[in-house]
Amino acid sequence: MNHFSRAFLIVFITSFTALAQYNPENFSAMKWRLVGPHRAGRVTTVAGIPGQPSIYYFGTPGGGVWKTSDGGRTWKPIFDDAQVPSIGAVVVAPSNPNIVYVGTGEQLEGNGIYKSIDAGATWTNVGLTDVHHISSIVVDPRDPNVVLVGTYNFSFPDPQRGVFKTPDGGKTWSKVFFKDDKTSIADMCAAPDDPRVIYAASFALQFDPNNRRGAAEAQIFKSTDEGATWQQVSETGLPANPRGRIGVTVARGTNGKRVYAIMSQGFFRSDDGGATWQQSTKDPRVLGSGYFSRTYADPNNGDLVYVVQTSTYRSTDGGKTFQAWKGEPSGEDDHVLWIDPTDSQRILMGTDQGAVITLNSGGTWTEWFNQPTGEMYHVTTDNQFPYRVYAAQQDSGSVAVLSRSDFGIITYRDWFSTGAFESGRIVPDTTNPNLVFAVGWYGSVLRLDRTTGQLATVFAPGAKYRYTWETPLMRSPHDPKTMYLGTQYVMRTTDDGENWQEMSPDLTTTDPAKPGNGVIQVIAPSAAKSGELWVGTSIGLVQLTRDNGATWNVVTPAELPANSSITLIEASPNDGDTAYVVAAGRNDLHPYIYRTRDAGKTWQKTVNGLPDNAIARVVREDPQRKGLLYGGTEKAVYVSYDGGDHWQSLQFNLPTVSVRDLHVHGDDLVAATYGRSLWVLDDISPLRQTGSEIASAQLFKPSTAVRTRWDNHPDTPLPPETPHGDNPPDGVIIYYYLKSAPKEISLEIRDDRGNVVRRFSDKAEPYDPRPKNVPALSTSAGLNRFVWNLQWPHPDALAFSFRGLPLDYIEYTLPDHAVAGNTPVNQPPGPFVVPGTYEVILTVDGKTYRQPLTVALDPRVKTSAADLQAQTDLARMIDDWMNISYRAYNDVTKLRATLDELRRSDKFESKEVLVTLDKDLGELQDGFGAINRDITRFVTMVQSGDARPAKSIIENVAPSCIALKNNLAHLRILNQEKLASLNTMLRQSRLALIPIPTIPNDPKCTN
């Protein structure tokens, strides 16, 4: 048994007795990575600053608050520290733009009002924490401390509905309007020329247990004393209820008299402060709904009014006629506007596709492909390298995005649309990477052929079949040609969609004599047991077949609440008897997760550690470690080590957001969020290897490292502000755990012969003002993450310009790794190690820990092992030449500086000796510099791709090695003759001798 095998056996045996214990705080070195795409999701509220065209804000239903300071070129999240993702209203105080109010709660629950006094840099909760949904905020234009807040709850009765007011910036609040616990405030606005006049639109849902949306009674209320008292306006001229959701706006210059209102029956106008109304247009497009119903008057022209709908319509005659002003053929769904009162041409709009800005009254708009706020549904991956992440995006379609780009950052060029419906499941073909199947409109199944870009419909449900918003489509883990589709039946195809058959009865009923009335929402084929299929329905039934559909059994958890629906089932990939059911109750925020270990005979509720007010969305079991679970709720992501009995946070740096789905791909965990796009937790090895014992230190076995080129982009780099997702770390992630901070720590990488490839430590290197790309080891207690780039040490290169002139700074001629914050200072890099087996050795205060490391070749590369070894050998040989020439150049430079100092001192009379010697040394210095410069170019060419070195490179670099040998020989002669003679003269003059440099050994040249 060799040394490497012996070491691995020791660590294997001991690893089960001394393993680090998982703790979210101690494991914070693990980081979620935003993949993207930067394709925006729905916006709920927008705000700007009068007269400042570069600063804007927007809020989202599940992705927090965002701000731009460059006119929409880039947007940044500014509310993540508040840990409240759902935003109903954002308002900038008109009298002080540094004061910003945020009302939380829209799609998800919030916890009241937040305030910033530094333009969004920091936030403080200033009350109404029991108010969970806020529709509108009005701030007095003269006093930023006077604030009115409109609240709502469209789901169930709530005593915290109505209008609240604070006179002191949130220190105290009073409820100034409350009709009853069913009446919400859908919209509220102040008259632009009289802030005492406030209009509010109420919305009272009539609850119907069989129809969650129900009918709505809506009214308009008015206050003339800034919210202190309210009166319902006259209904004269208004249609009878139900009017749906009402939106109101007030025209400037009318002292609050002209009011526009949009409702389900159309667009209405009052010119007497709500005493009378008239429908000003019969345009059939200009209608309200429970989803839209917002209207906005231009702050400088009372006749100019906007209505947002699937398109935005504009009237220039006070609402009599409307023209389509902004929209897309498929309907982008516009929602909210902010119009600059100092320049009406400057408008910020919030749509289903993000926030966009116009400076010319809608002539042109900024883009929305710079906001990673997508609301993503179910996520899956393919088996390519690099793998793609597939997910449907609410309101925008679907995306297949690379988990890593060949160009350093993940941008628009790295993803494509699959053609799926916005909530549709996506199933990539496991045998043909160009085929992708997905659920389309109306429960259909589509097939994308990427070779042609065409979408073909391979299943249309027809009148017989029922389907749902998130129609399930799953591929068999045992047969790549078999897929399952959910209607009220399980539909199966065994020929990639060419033919479909019913493989089950109606699974939405337990009585075959009675028709069901629900749909299948979940299909979960078991990877552990062939022929096993779990099904969950919208009416709360769980059904199981273990014989490929021949028989079905109802195995619904007995404790499942009434009126629940099954939203997800995870069939354990490790045990055919184990499954996890996630359910949701109607108007119920509690998490419901159930586990069976006996194929559905008994179930246990497993929510210990999860918050009581966050719906559970997903559970996935790790395919390599039974009982290791990953879970997502409406607010966060979690991990369990005991099959769900106890949950702990896995949030780390992931923003607070609804985690709708999780997927384990190899050693990565992929998350689909509903408001912050797609994320990857790279290398979950520490989670898999963590135990219950507390160790003083632990080195985790790294995942197999794939040797890739981190950035192959050959052209001028993209601007740093280009919207992008992040590539994985450049190299292999090495995790180690420290119970406490050590006195000394080092890390070595050795090859299979025991040779040290790289060595790192916690000791600082000699000071270099240039930024370094070689990290130092962290000594922090807890989990630490270190990334080795799979390279031998970089050679020492002198700084020269593109045209070969020496420089005293670094000039980046090539765009290698030209990614902001990730460009290495040392160019060229060291050679890649060849694929094979290596050993990682961690030494902590004298104690050694070892783990094997496998380096694999990028599977797309077909270069032979021999050719890769030849490439590495040549590169290392040239690197040695570079190091020799670099050292010789610097030694000669120092020697010339010493001679110059002696010449200027006037202590030595034989100046001509110094001049002659300096001339000889100058020629050598130039020679060493030119050699270093030239072979730097050659070694860069050698390593430009994974290929055997070109014969021309080998032939043309050889003269540089010969020249280096000759220069070293010349330097030896100078040492032995002229420098020795000079030192004799200096000794006779009783002056300090010149240090004679040590000459490196001759380099080994190519044959």
Side-chain angles (χ1 to χ4, degrees):
M1 183 181 294
N2 62 32
H3 169 78
F4 181 81
S5 301
R6 238 186 354 259
F8 173 65
L9 181 60
I10 293 171
V11 75
F12 180 83
I13 293 173
T14 62
S15 63
F16 291 96
T17 60
L19 296 180
Q21 186 178 35
Y22 178 78
N23 180 298
E25 294 180 359
N26 289 342
F27 273 59
S28 60
M30 300 186 74
K31 299 295 182 184
W32 289 93
R33 172 173 59 90
L34 174 64
V35 172
H38 280 65
R39 183 170 68 179
R42 181 164 67 93
V43 167
T44 55
T45 178
V46 293
I49 301 175
Q52 294 193 28
S54 61
I55 301 177
Y56 303 90
Y57 301 84
F58 73 81
T60 68
V65 180
W66 295 70
K67 179 181 180 180
T68 179
S69 299
D70 53 18
R73 178 70 177 96
T74 60
W75 294 88
K76 296 181 180 179
I78 61 171
F79 200 64
D80 287 355
D81 288 344
Q83 299 183 4
V84 185
S86 190
I87 309 301
V90 175
V91 174
V92 178
S95 60
N96 186 346
N98 286 322
I99 296 178
V100 186
Y101 289 95
V102 167
T104 61
E106 197 264 2
Q107 180 173 273
L108 309 176
E109 281 196 346
N111 64 346
I113 294 289
Y114 285 77
K115 179 181 180 180
S116 173
I117 59 174
D118 49 18
T122 60
W123 298 91
T124 303
N125 187 297
V126 291
L128 302 184
T129 55
D130 291 334
V131 172
H132 300 306
H133 299 88
I134 292 172
S135 63
S136 46
I137 300 174
V138 173
V139 180
D140 189 304
R142 302 155 302 184
D143 184 352
N145 291 312
V146 178
V147 183
L148 290 166
V149 173
T151 72
Y152 71 95
N153 191 324
F154 292 161
S155 299
F156 45 82
D158 186 349
Q160 299 297 332
R161 297 168 182 256
V163 178
F164 295 80
K165 182 176 182 178
T166 178
D168 48 23
K171 295 178 182 178
T172 60
W173 292 90
S174 58
K175 187 182 293 185
V176 294
F177 173 81
F178 178 78
K179 186 174 182 291
D180 55 51
D181 63 1
K182 295 184 177 65
T183 300
S184 298
I185 300 299
D187 196 10
M188 184 169 61
C189 65
D193 41 14
D194 187 352
R196 297 171 301 172
V197 177
I198 311 286
Y199 289 88
S202 70
F203 184 97
L205 193 65
Q206 298 175 5
F207 295 96
D208 178 354
N210 296 317
N211 185 344
R212 296 181 65 180
R213 296 198 174 187
E217 178 181 308
Q219 308 288 354
I220 300 174
F221 291 84
K222 178 181 180 181
S223 173
T224 56
D225 50 15
E226 204 166 24
T229 61
W230 296 84
Q231 303 81 35
Q232 181 178 330
V233 303
S234 170
E235 295 183 287
T236 302
L238 290 178
N241 270 301
R243 300 186 182 108
R245 182 173 178 170
I246 296 177
V248 293
T249 188
V250 184
R252 177 177 288 277
T254 66
N255 294 317
K257 297 294 185 182
R258 188 192 296 179
V259 188
Y260 298 106
I262 182 75
M263 56 195 72
S264 296
Q265 295 93 331
F267 189 80
F268 293 80
R269 166 178 167 171
S270 174
D271 291 296
D272 50 18
T276 60
W277 297 85
Q278 58 278 340
Q279 187 170 5
S280 61
T281 183
K282 296 292 186 180
D283 191 325
R285 303 170 299 175
V286 183
L287 299 173
S289 71
Y291 190 54
F292 298 102
S293 285
R294 299 299 292 270
T295 182
Y296 298 88
D298 187 288
N300 298 296
N301 181 351
D303 288 330
L304 185 57
V305 61
Y306 300 85
V307 170
V308 288
Q309 247 278 1
T310 51
S311 295
T312 297
Y313 301 97
R314 182 172 68 173
S315 172
T316 58
D317 55 10
K320 297 176 183 177
T321 61
F322 283 85
Q323 298 80 37
W325 180 65
K326 185 182 187 300
E328 303 294 340
S330 62
E332 66 182 11
D333 291 0
D334 302 329
H335 292 287
V336 287
L337 292 177
W338 176 84
I339 307 171
D340 186 357
T342 67
D343 180 4
S344 295
Q345 292 196 87
R346 187 162 71 91
I347 302 172
L348 171 62
M349 174 181 280
T351 76
D352 271 357
Q353 284 76 36
V356 290
I357 302 162
T358 179
L359 302 179
N360 52 13
S361 195
T364 56
W365 295 85
T366 58
E367 66 172 318
W368 44 271
F369 283 88
N370 57 2
Q371 302 156 41
T373 55
E375 297 170 313
M376 319 305 287
Y377 286 93
H378 304 282
V379 65
T380 189
T381 60
D382 58 25
N383 55 10
Q384 302 180 67
F385 182 88
Y387 65 89
R388 288 189 180 272
V389 180
Y390 298 79
Q393 180 180 343
Q394 175 68 38
D395 300 317
S396 290
S398 64
V399 66
V401 59
L402 283 174
S403 57
R404 68 180 303 145
S405 172
D406 287 329
F407 303 128
I409 54 177
I410 303 170
T411 64
Y412 188 88
R413 59 194 171 186
D414 296 307
W415 58 271
F416 65 88
S417 172
T418 68
F421 183 57
E422 60 188 279
S423 60
R425 288 273 196 169
I426 305 170
V427 179
D429 193 305
T430 56
T431 60
N432 185 345
N434 288 317
L435 297 181
V436 181
F437 295 82
V439 173
W441 289 87
Y442 309 115
S444 61
V445 178
L446 309 175
R447 182 185 63 220
L448 169 68
D449 188 339
R450 293 196 65 208
T451 59
T452 63
Q454 294 184 14
L455 281 168
T457 300
V458 297
F459 177 79
K464 176 181 177 181
Y465 299 109
R466 300 189 295 270
Y467 52 88
T468 185
W469 179 251
E470 299 177 52
T471 299
L473 177 68
M474 302 296 291
R475 188 176 293 279
S476 167
H478 303 284
D479 178 8
K481 294 295 183 181
T482 297
M483 290 186 290
Y484 307 99
L485 175 72
T487 59
Q488 68 270 43
Y489 310 97
V490 176
M491 311 295 296
R492 177 174 57 193
T493 176
T494 57
D495 52 14
D496 253 351
E498 294 298 323
N499 298 280
W500 295 83
Q501 303 84 31
E502 298 171 9
M503 66 168 291
S504 77
D506 184 342
L507 297 181
T508 66
T509 179
T510 57
D511 185 351
K514 297 180 180 179
N517 61 358
V519 290
I520 292 173
Q521 292 194 144
V522 181
I523 299 175
S526 171
K529 181 176 176 59
S530 179
E532 180 174 288
L533 208 66
W534 299 78
V535 169
T537 73
S538 61
I539 60 171
L541 292 177
V542 178
Q543 304 243 25
L544 171 66
T545 179
R546 310 195 81 184
D547 52 15
N548 213 25
T551 59
W552 292 85
N553 296 295
V554 176
V555 292
T556 307
E559 295 182 29
L560 194 69
N563 298 318
S564 296
S565 62
I566 307 302
T567 56
L568 186 136
I569 299 176
E570 168 74 348
S572 168
N574 303 293
D575 177 14
D577 289 338
T578 299
Y580 305 86
V581 165
V582 179
R586 181 174 298 169
N587 296 331
D588 186 348
L589 298 180
H590 296 91
Y592 294 103
I593 301 173
Y594 300 90
R595 178 193 63 213
T596 181
R597 288 172 171 161
D598 52 14
K601 296 177 183 177
T602 61
W603 295 86
Q604 302 82 43
K605 190 176 181 182
T606 55
V607 296
N608 185 25
L610 300 180
D612 197 43
N613 63 343
I615 298 170
R617 291 292 185 180
V618 58
V619 171
R620 301 296 182 196
E621 185 174 69
D622 192 289
Q624 295 187 22
R625 179 170 175 174
K626 184 178 180 181
L628 174 58
L629 305 184
Y630 311 105
T633 73
E634 206 69 297
K635 295 182 179 179
V637 62
Y638 296 86
V639 64
S640 172
Y641 279 89
D642 49 17
D645 288 336
H646 302 86
W647 292 94
Q648 298 182 78
S649 173
L650 194 64
Q651 196 75 5
F652 304 137
N653 62 315
L654 186 71
T656 302
V657 67
S658 175
V659 178
R660 290 299 180 93
D661 200 6
L662 295 165
H663 178 79
V664 180
H665 180 98
D667 296 315
D668 295 345
L669 179 62
V670 185
T673 74
Y674 205 73
R676 296 297 283 267
S677 202
L678 299 168
W679 296 69
V680 172
L681 186 61
D682 294 300
D683 189 4
I684 54 177
S685 298
L687 300 179
R688 289 170 167 165
Q689 297 173 39
T690 294
S692 59
E693 299 292 330
I694 300 179
S696 59
Q698 180 181 349
L699 174 64
F700 294 93
K701 180 183 177 182
S703 299
T704 296
V706 180
R707 199 183 94 157
T708 58
R709 306 276 170 167
W710 195 77
D711 180 15
N712 287 324
H713 186 56
D715 300 329
T716 301
L718 297 175
E721 65 271 17
T722 300
H724 65 272
D726 298 321
N727 252 10
D730 184 12
V732 60
I733 301 174
I734 299 173
Y735 284 107
Y736 57 94
Y737 178 88
L738 303 174
K739 186 176 180 180
S740 59
K743 296 178 180 178
E744 188 175 36
I745 185 172
S746 65
L747 184 75
E748 284 185 350
I749 313 295
R750 296 185 182 181
D751 63 18
D752 57 0
R753 297 181 180 178
N755 299 313
V756 176
V757 178
R758 293 297 297 270
R759 188 179 191 280
F760 307 93
S761 76
D762 60 321
K763 306 303 180 185
E765 294 186 352
Y767 175 73
D768 185 341
R770 303 178 301 176
K772 301 296 290 182
N773 70 318
V774 178
L777 293 177
S778 169
T779 58
S780 300
L783 187 71
N784 294 269
R785 184 172 94 157
F786 183 83
V787 177
W788 172 46
N789 60 8
L790 303 181
Q791 295 172 4
W792 290 84
H794 66 83
D796 293 323
L798 299 170
F800 281 88
S801 71
F802 175 77
R803 301 191 182 280
L805 300 176
L807 301 172
D808 56 4
Y809 62 92
I810 298 174
E811 178 180 275
Y812 290 97
T813 303
L814 300 175
D816 181 55
H817 279 46
V819 176
N822 287 291
T823 302
V825 65
N826 297 302
Q827 301 272 8
F832 275 111
V833 298
V834 296
T837 302
Y838 295 80
E839 186 178 27
V840 182
I841 303 174
L842 178 72
T843 303
V844 181
D845 290 336
K847 187 173 183 180
T848 298
Y849 306 84
R850 301 171 183 268
Q851 286 286 7
L853 167 65
T854 300
V855 177
L857 183 62
D858 185 332
R860 298 169 297 179
V861 176
K862 306 306 177 184
T863 307
S864 69
D867 288 348
L868 293 174
Q869 187 67 62
Q871 179 186 43
T872 297
D873 291 344
L874 179 59
R876 293 190 64 201
M877 180 185 295
I878 298 175
D879 284 356
D880 185 52
W881 306 350
M882 290 183 63
N883 294 335
I884 292 172
S885 61
Y886 180 91
R887 175 183 168 187
Y889 178 92
N890 286 322
D891 286 346
V892 171
T893 300
K894 292 178 183 178
L895 181 57
R896 292 185 69 193
T898 303
L899 294 177
D900 184 63
E901 183 180 356
L902 179 63
R903 181 181 59 79
R904 289 185 285 105
S905 70
D906 292 331
K907 295 180 180 180
F908 186 66
E909 297 181 354
S910 301
K911 306 291 184 182
E912 67 281 358
V913 174
L914 299 179
V915 171
T916 299
L917 182 56
D918 182 72
K919 180 181 178 182
D920 291 340
L921 290 172
E923 292 176 353
L924 279 177
Q925 183 182 25
D926 291 343
F928 286 128
I931 291 169
N932 188 276
R933 175 198 65 203
D934 293 343
I935 59 180
T936 295
R937 296 171 180 173
F938 279 116
V939 79
T940 301
M941 297 173 189
V942 169
Q943 300 178 109
S944 61
D946 296 327
R948 187 176 188 87
K951 184 178 180 181
S952 59
I953 295 178
I954 299 173
E955 293 173 347
N956 292 321
V957 75
S960 294
C961 186
I962 302 301
L964 179 58
K965 279 186 176 181
N966 293 336
N967 281 353
L968 291 173
H970 190 187
L971 184 57
R972 290 190 187 96
I973 294 173
L974 287 179
N975 275 356
Q976 297 167 2
E977 298 179 359
K978 293 187 177 182
L979 275 177
S981 175
L982 174 61
N983 275 336
T984 299
M985 298 172 66
L986 291 172
R987 188 179 298 108
Q988 293 172 351
S989 300
R990 297 187 176 182
L991 296 175
L993 303 183
I994 301 295
I996 297 178
T998 302
I999 311 301
N1001 294 328
D1002 283 346
K1004 178 183 178 181
C1005 298
T1006 58
N1007 295 328

